[in-house]
Amino acid sequence: MHAEEKLTYETWPAEPEKSTLEAKNKFLGFWLFLGGETVLFASLFATYLALKDKVPSADHALAKDLFDLPLTFVATMLLLTSSLTSVYAMYHMKNFNSQKMMLWLGITVLLGLGFLGLEVYEFNHYVHEYHHKFTSSAFGSAFYTLVGFHGAHVTFGLGWILALMIRNYKRGLNLYNAPKFYVASLYWHFIDVVWVFIFTVVYLMGMVG
Amino acid sequence: MSTYAQKKGFGSVIWDYLTTVDHKKIAILYLIAGGFFFLVGGIEAVFIRIQLAVPNNDFVSAGAFNEIITMHGTTMIFLAAMPLLFAFMNAVMPLQIGARDVAFPFVNALGFWLFFFGGVFLNLSWFLGGAPDAGWTSYASLAIHSKGHGIDFYVLGLQISGIGTLIGGINFLVTIINMRAPGMTYMRMPLFTWATFVSSALILFAFPPLTVGLTLMMFDRMFGSNFFITENGGNTIIWEHLFWIFGHPEVYILVLPAFGIFSDVFSTFSRKRLFGYSSMVFATVLIGFLGFMVWAHHMFTTGLGPVANAIFSVATMAIGVPTGIKIFNWLLTMWGGSVKFTTPMYWAFAFIPSFVIGGVTGVMLASAAADYQYHDSYFVVAHFHYVIVGGVVFAVFAATHFYWPKIFGTMLNEKLGKITFWLFFIGFHMTFFVQHFLGLWGMPRRVFTFLPGQGFEMSNLISSIGAAFMSAGVIVLLINVIVTSVKNEKVGNDPWGDGRTLEWSIPSPPPFYNFKQLPLVRGLDPYWLEKMEGKKGMTPAEPLGDIHMPNASFIPFVIAFGLFVAAFGALYNGEKSWAVPVIIIGLLITFGSMLVRSLKDDHGFHIHKEELMDDNDKGVKA
């Protein structure tokens, strides 16, 4: 099979994300890239743990003063659900149903935007209510860098999925763009997994430890 | 798209190289750029040795000396050794596995241009207010207080070129996993391909910590954060950890490909199958794995405590075992072989004792208690130059002579090659052997001068004379390159006559699609196997058919250029009013061109069967 073939529901392969050599390469290369990203976030987590609650003086807010679990819970639910909806999108991609794939990707993007909105609100809240800033302490720098790196990944992922949707809205699925949708959804899952760790290490451990 | 046979003018050759995605041309770009930075780093080394030739010298000031040693180390590691090895990986590895290109030709070009712009950015520091001066390790406790923009150039330049290296590593991994020719199983891959594979895996996991370390330093120096500002709760040891979690695997990223090159040279010129092939593969993988377990041996005197020091000490010594396996396998490959002393073989032969000296001092340094004596002395300088020059640079020289005909289609002059060898080999040992003793006598590293009457004069002078010999060796190599390029006597597929692996079964230089028909691999050393059975070339694994090739693209250059622009903005952030707009413009260029790449369909093109039948393996110039 090659990327430019015109396919129908009947001839659409079971694994369109790796049915050409280019697609196989993309699939594997992206998994390896995510391996590198894992080490990147591991380094950021280590830095955060080393600098947690490290502030210059006693009047700075610490982790236990800052976090608000209900808000974080809502954000977590939005992001976890968006991972589920992206799975639905990939299910329809595998069934050669471009319309429904677009629908579920659209919902994924909306949920992601919701998450991002909450994060912006949260950061704003910390800065204005607690004077917990990027530049105010080592704790602040480490917190905003770790969570901000994740937020930047969410933003990039949203832009990526949106661009793919707009580009392919009219022309439907083929073996050239199916792997692109697939790796974008992999990226989205990865962002989700990282958030699970942030939720645990930053927020839960910040509240109890 | 059958325009590839046309004659081209100078302008279109430049455009061709700016837009190429062909691994063989990217290899030439890496070779030229890496070679250029090798000369720059070499000149810096010569300045260091002139300054230290006699006591109380004032050839350069103390401040300039700090800049020179920092740039010498940084340039040699990131901008010379790695790109030169990448050049050979690009030129040879796809041919060794019987592939028509790497998995991501576009990403390959992008990787080169990122490295190139990162390197240029770093070196522009010389002209824009001073180079970085906190040593190549740029420890935060020093770097954070460095005046001027030197450290900022270091941080941003390495960040850009580091991304290039990272994506290059991913590319090689996917190429080796997915694109091997029929019959090319993992345990039939040449050792250089294996080394490329393992060192790419190391790149994948070692570069992200560096990325993070550099990002933290960038935030601290340019955007007001407090990671390394102790008054505000920061901790400079974080930098040391992140740097060495990257930095130690980096040593193996460099030396494993060197091992791979030597393995291929030894078996080729001993005209004998590599002794203990599977144990060589095992040792390569094991060294790669252990390479991640030993970073804190650079930090024995940081004060991590006796338990951590003991663990890292033992783990470090353990690396001596797989390395020893390799040394003995190379010796036993030559044993009983019909050894031919060509220039690459000279380098390989000299590599063994030179590298073993570096290995022995490595085990000495690995002993944590003794390290308190050696630490920060010239003993350390001698050790790592024995490993990096005696291992990596010797390998680069060997590979330059060995693969030159495959890359350029003409042989380097053997006589000049041997003169290069003798000058460089003698100069190398003169320069660095005495430095062991200088260190043991108490001369600290990174000092810009020393006093008379302390017993350092003679050895330092010998060391500086050795540097002159090394420089002469490099100059002879440059003359060799010019002479052979002017003569340009074309050679055939297998100019050494003893080629064992697939790259020698196709024309020199290979046609841009490499293999007209993918070869069928029937065992280790597949080309040798066929030759021994009296065949002229490889048996094809497929009928002659259309070949799918990628389109050239200018976008990689533009993506890298955007980051180069943004880096200038970041550098002057908070100081010049145009800084933030420049950051934004640069990032728009980068992300905009990435978007174009993502949205514009690029299916590549096909070379048709009929065209392939026309050019009868003449090695059409791409």
Side-chain angles (χ1 to χ4, degrees):
Chain A
M1 286 192 171
H2 54 89
E4 290 145 278
E5 260 176 281
K6 283 266 170 282
L7 293 165
T8 63
Y9 180 76
E10 278 72 31
T11 55
W12 188 245
E15 288 183 319
E17 72 275 10
K18 38 182 180 176
S19 54
T20 64
L21 178 62
E22 287 78 11
K24 268 190 207 118
N25 288 344
K26 194 170 278 185
F27 179 82
L28 179 63
F30 203 79
W31 269 109
L32 293 173
F33 170 73
L34 292 183
E37 287 262 86
T38 307
V39 184
L40 183 115
F41 274 102
S43 307
L44 288 171
F45 273 107
T47 307
Y48 174 79
L49 287 174
L51 297 178
K52 186 189 165 204
D53 291 345
K54 294 287 189 308
V55 289
S57 58
D59 55 342
H60 283 74
L62 301 180
K64 63 176 170 18
D65 312 318
L66 282 172
F67 302 138
D68 176 32
L69 273 189
L71 180 81
T72 321
F73 176 76
V74 175
T76 306
M77 279 304 131
L78 286 178
L79 203 62
L80 288 183
T81 314
S82 79
S83 217
L84 179 70
T85 56
S86 78
V87 172
Y88 286 156
M90 285 310 106
Y91 170 81
H92 291 299
M93 185 274 281
K94 292 201 175 194
N95 283 308
F96 202 55
N97 191 336
S98 172
Q99 299 282 301
K100 282 197 175 154
M101 180 189 76
M102 293 290 178
L103 176 70
W104 284 109
L105 282 180
I107 296 171
T108 305
V109 168
L110 288 179
L111 290 166
L113 280 173
F115 171 86
L116 210 56
L118 286 183
E119 187 152 90
V120 171
Y121 166 79
E122 186 200 352
F123 282 8
N124 197 38
H125 182 69
Y126 294 156
V127 170
H128 289 105
E129 296 294 314
Y130 295 95
H131 302 287
H132 178 65
K133 294 183 204 149
F134 181 65
T135 52
S136 60
S137 66
F139 173 45
S141 306
F143 171 79
Y144 287 110
T145 301
L146 171 60
V147 184
F149 249 76
H150 176 265
H153 275 71
V154 172
T155 313
F156 185 84
L158 288 174
W160 185 5
I161 295 175
L162 269 176
L164 280 177
M165 287 172 69
I166 294 166
R167 172 69 181 95
N168 295 296
Y169 196 74
K170 285 213 176 114
R171 64 174 180 172
L173 282 162
N174 55 41
L175 292 183
Y176 183 71
N177 60 23
K180 293 189 177 206
F181 281 111
Y182 190 86
V183 294
S185 86
L186 271 184
Y187 185 75
W188 195 255
H189 284 307
F190 174 76
I191 292 169
D192 204 41
V193 172
V194 172
W195 180 258
V196 171
F197 282 92
I198 290 182
F199 181 70
T200 314
V201 173
V202 176
Y203 291 94
L204 285 183
M205 282 167 65
M207 299 296 283
V208 296
Chain B
M1 288 279 256
S2 59
T3 51
Y4 54 84
Q6 284 173 359
K7 272 250 168 201
K8 283 173 175 167
F10 183 69
S12 66
V13 169
I14 296 287
W15 179 249
D16 186 29
Y17 274 90
L18 288 177
T19 60
T20 187
V21 294
D22 180 347
H23 71 98
K24 298 176 290 299
K25 287 184 182 166
I26 292 171
I28 293 173
L29 289 172
Y30 269 118
L31 197 62
I32 294 170
F36 171 75
F37 285 124
F38 180 75
L39 295 181
V40 172
I43 290 168
E44 283 153 4
V46 168
F47 285 172
I48 294 171
R49 281 323 317 171
I50 293 176
Q51 168 64 21
L52 292 176
V54 290
N56 276 330
N57 202 0
D58 59 356
F59 177 69
V60 292
S61 69
F65 186 84
N66 287 344
E67 294 177 21
I68 292 170
I69 56 159
T70 303
M71 285 301 280
H72 166 69
T74 312
T75 304
M76 283 302 196
I77 296 285
F78 291 98
L79 308 179
M82 295 209 53
L84 285 169
L85 291 170
F86 263 49
F88 296 113
M89 291 178 185
N90 260 308
V92 178
M93 182 274 288
L95 305 180
Q96 284 194 331
I97 60 170
R100 293 210 168 97
D101 206 324
V102 290
F104 307 109
F106 180 93
V107 171
N108 203 11
L110 178 59
F112 170 77
W113 290 112
L114 286 168
F115 142 69
F116 179 77
F117 277 113
V120 170
F121 186 82
L122 178 56
N123 274 282
L124 281 178
S125 62
W126 287 115
F127 309 102
L128 296 170
D133 56 359
W136 87 280
T137 53
S138 204
Y139 274 17
S141 32
L142 207 59
I144 222 73
H145 300 292
S146 171
K147 300 271 185 296
H149 284 300
I151 302 297
D152 306 338
F153 276 105
Y154 172 94
V155 165
L156 295 161
L158 289 191
Q159 189 70 282
I160 296 172
S161 73
I163 299 166
T165 309
L166 178 67
I167 60 179
I170 294 176
N171 198 358
F172 289 142
L173 282 172
V174 179
T175 306
I176 294 172
I177 295 173
N178 273 358
M179 313 231 336
R180 283 165 290 126
M184 179 57 83
T185 60
Y186 282 105
M187 291 310 275
R188 287 175 182 173
M189 295 194 313
L191 248 287
F192 180 59
T193 298
W194 258 111
T196 305
F197 186 65
V198 175
S199 106
S200 299
L202 296 188
I203 288 173
L204 175 61
F205 295 116
F207 268 72
L210 177 71
T211 305
V212 170
L214 292 171
T215 306
L216 305 186
M217 182 78 84
M218 174 180 81
F219 283 168
D220 267 17
R221 283 193 55 107
M222 290 162 244
F223 298 95
S225 65
N226 296 300
F227 293 102
F228 307 125
I229 315 284
T230 35
E231 308 88 275
N232 293 336
N235 185 343
T236 57
I237 307 298
I238 293 173
W239 169 271
E240 294 186 25
H241 279 293
L242 289 174
F243 186 85
W244 287 117
I245 291 173
F246 148 77
H248 199 81
E250 168 71 15
V251 176
Y252 297 101
I253 293 168
L254 293 174
V255 90
L256 287 178
F259 288 173
I261 288 164
F262 285 130
S263 300
D264 286 2
V265 169
F266 275 122
S267 62
T268 302
F269 294 114
S270 302
R271 287 176 272 189
K272 191 164 158 259
R273 191 190 138 127
L274 186 70
F275 187 89
Y277 171 85
S278 35
S279 71
M280 284 303 245
V281 171
F282 169 76
T284 307
V285 176
L286 190 62
I287 292 172
F289 177 76
L290 288 175
F292 276 101
M293 308 291 163
V294 298
W295 80 87
H297 68 212
H298 298 271
M299 300 164 62
F300 280 151
T301 60
T302 302
L304 300 177
V307 176
N309 277 6
I311 291 171
F312 280 99
S313 176
V314 172
T316 305
M317 291 179 189
I319 296 188
V321 177
T323 315
I325 293 176
K326 283 181 163 290
I327 298 281
F328 284 110
N329 280 339
W330 288 317
L331 292 174
L332 290 167
T333 302
M334 287 188 286
W335 185 271
S338 149
V339 179
K340 201 153 101 182
F341 277 102
T342 58
T343 307
M345 194 60 173
Y346 270 48
W347 289 106
F349 211 72
F351 150 77
I352 289 185
S354 308
F355 192 80
V356 166
I357 294 173
V360 168
T361 53
V363 176
M364 289 169 73
L365 285 162
S367 167
D371 182 67
Y372 278 80
Q373 290 299 315
Y374 311 135
H375 190 80
D376 254 347
S377 76
Y378 257 84
F379 190 80
V380 178
V381 178
H383 159 70
F384 67 69
H385 280 94
Y386 261 85
V387 182
I388 301 287
V389 182
V392 183
V393 177
F394 278 23
V396 167
F397 276 114
T400 304
H401 291 88
F402 189 47
Y403 290 121
W404 195 270
K406 192 44 69 185
I407 299 173
F408 295 103
T410 180
M411 292 276 267
L412 284 176
N413 183 300
E414 277 286 283
K415 193 166 275 170
L416 288 174
K418 282 168 188 169
I419 294 172
T420 303
F421 167 80
W422 282 115
L423 286 170
F424 197 92
F425 177 75
I426 293 169
F428 163 67
H429 282 282
M430 267 180 86
T431 305
F432 295 108
F433 196 74
V434 288
Q435 291 187 1
H436 291 112
F437 297 99
L438 277 173
L440 295 177
W441 294 334
M443 180 163 164
R445 69 190 279 205
R446 290 172 171 162
V447 288
F448 88 106
T449 191
F450 57 94
L451 295 173
Q454 296 183 330
F456 298 154
E457 290 100 322
M458 179 58 101
S459 299
N460 270 306
L461 186 63
I462 294 173
S463 190
S464 295
I465 295 170
F469 273 88
M470 283 199 275
S471 314
V474 174
I475 291 168
V476 174
L477 175 66
L478 290 178
I479 294 170
N480 196 353
V481 167
I482 294 167
V483 169
T484 47
S485 305
V486 171
K487 272 195 198 157
N488 202 13
E489 288 165 13
K490 287 294 167 198
V491 293
N493 293 5
D494 185 11
W496 296 104
D498 299 309
R500 309 178 72 81
T501 41
L502 287 176
E503 72 269 30
W504 305 110
S505 71
I506 54 173
S508 317
F512 74 101
Y513 45 82
N514 295 352
F515 296 89
K516 193 183 271 190
Q517 291 162 287
L518 292 183
L520 179 67
V521 177
R522 299 192 296 133
L524 185 66
D525 297 335
Y527 184 47
W528 183 261
L529 212 65
E530 303 290 333
K531 282 197 287 190
M532 288 302 105
E533 293 184 4
K535 293 183 191 138
K536 279 205 180 126
M538 299 298 300
T539 314
E542 57 176 14
L544 194 61
D546 292 0
I547 295 176
H548 182 234
M549 296 301 290
N551 286 326
S553 171
F554 190 53
I555 296 177
F557 185 93
V558 181
I559 294 177
F561 179 72
L563 287 181
F564 180 73
V565 171
F568 275 106
L571 189 85
Y572 292 108
N573 186 40
E575 198 176 296
K576 301 256 163 59
S577 57
W578 45 261
V580 174
V582 167
I583 297 179
I584 294 170
I585 291 169
L587 291 180
L588 277 179
I589 295 173
T590 295
F591 285 105
S593 41
M594 280 166 72
L595 189 69
V596 171
R597 167 68 185 171
S598 177
L599 300 188
K600 222 175 115 219
D601 283 10
D602 183 0
H603 291 297
F605 64 97
H606 285 89
I607 316 165
H608 295 292
K609 204 158 83 173
E610 295 71 28
E611 296 170 45
L612 287 171
M613 285 197 286
D614 291 341
D615 60 310
N616 248 332
D617 263 6
K618 270 183 289 188
V620 178
K621 268 197 93 177

